[in-house]
Amino acid sequence: VILQVVERSMPWSGRAKIHASHFSELNIDRLDKIEVLTQDGTCLSLIAFADSHVPLDQIRICAEDIIKLGISEDDQVIVRKMDPISD
């Protein structure tokens, strides 16, 4: 899923808010981890929270995580289910 980054008002690092409808599309459950990938390949894993007030085309993350990704607010990112690490 390709979404536009918007800075969250709450500064909690490691968490992302996406529209609730994306949970079925990404095949994730509440509090599952997602991967957020930038165009240059930077990846950050975040805990997903459903929020029906977040527009369908947005992902909301804190300023600290936006800096870690090396992007700006309004940039687009790819959001996907984080694959579990196998032994």
Side-chain angles (χ1 to χ4, degrees):
V1 177
I2 297 174
L3 300 175
Q4 178 185 15
V5 173
V6 175
E7 186 178 335
R8 288 183 49 182
S9 57
M10 299 298 289
W12 294 323
S13 179
R15 299 176 178 147
K17 282 187 175 184
I18 58 175
H19 192 274
S21 67
H22 290 307
F23 274 59
S24 59
E25 186 177 356
L26 293 168
N27 194 28
I28 60 173
D29 294 316
R30 185 175 171 268
L31 303 180
D32 277 355
K33 285 200 170 187
I34 56 173
E35 292 181 330
V36 178
L37 291 92
T38 66
Q39 287 184 325
D40 71 357
T42 303
C43 181
L44 187 63
S45 63
L46 302 170
I47 297 171
F49 287 86
D51 187 336
S52 58
H53 297 290
V54 174
L56 282 168
D57 65 339
Q58 292 182 359
I59 180 170
R60 296 204 177 157
I61 59 178
C62 74
E64 182 179 334
D65 291 334
I66 292 171
I67 292 168
K68 286 179 187 176
L69 286 165
I71 58 174
S72 300
E73 188 172 21
D74 296 327
D75 284 352
Q76 290 189 331
V77 292
I78 298 170
V79 178
R80 64 183 183 197
K81 179 179 182 175
M82 185 172 166
D83 289 328
I85 299 172
S86 58
D87 293 331

